Amino acid sequence: ARLPPGDKETVRWMKANMHPLFGWPNVCRFSWGPALEVLQKNPREHGAVEVRWPGDEVPEQVQQRDAMEFFLGKRKRAPTHRHKIFGEAGLVPVEGW
């Protein structure tokens, strides 16, 4: 029997079976309200690890960064030391699209 995502049994299962980094197996839709509640609104409260990606910056943070770069210039990044296997495989970092 399928249970709706907001059902008490479903929510209890989700809390009991959540992996702190990966969430749930593919039986759970990450777009469900209870999943969003755990992963986006208060992940630490539920024992989840908060992951921030470079593309997740808030527009205000982007504006502040752009303003600082305008006045101070872009920071030079320290060279990234990558394992030689990446070079041997012909893989390069993606800076933009």
Side-chain angles (χ1 to χ4, degrees):
R2 278 185 130 167
L3 298 173
D7 179 73
K8 289 180 183 180
E9 289 294 317
T10 304
V11 172
R12 188 172 67 213
W13 179 88
M14 290 174 70
K15 288 180 181 179
N17 292 286
M18 185 193 74
H19 185 278
L21 182 59
F22 299 111
W24 301 273
N26 62 358
V27 298
C28 175
R29 291 186 185 163
F30 286 76
S31 61
W32 285 346
L36 291 173
E37 176 76 25
V38 169
L39 297 176
Q40 291 182 351
K41 294 184 180 174
N42 47 6
R44 290 187 180 154
E45 182 180 310
H46 295 283
V49 175
E50 188 172 357
V51 178
R52 293 184 182 259
W53 297 94
D56 290 344
E57 291 180 319
V58 198
E60 182 180 307
Q61 292 171 324
V62 173
Q63 288 176 352
Q64 183 180 11
R65 184 194 66 220
D66 290 347
M68 289 177 62
E69 286 178 356
F70 176 77
F71 289 108
L72 304 174
K74 287 191 173 191
R75 290 188 300 181
K76 292 184 179 180
R77 292 184 181 173
T80 304
H81 300 287
R82 299 174 345 134
H83 194 278
K84 65 179 182 177
I85 196 167
F86 294 108
E88 291 171 358
L91 300 174
V92 295
V94 175
E95 299 271 335
W97 297 104

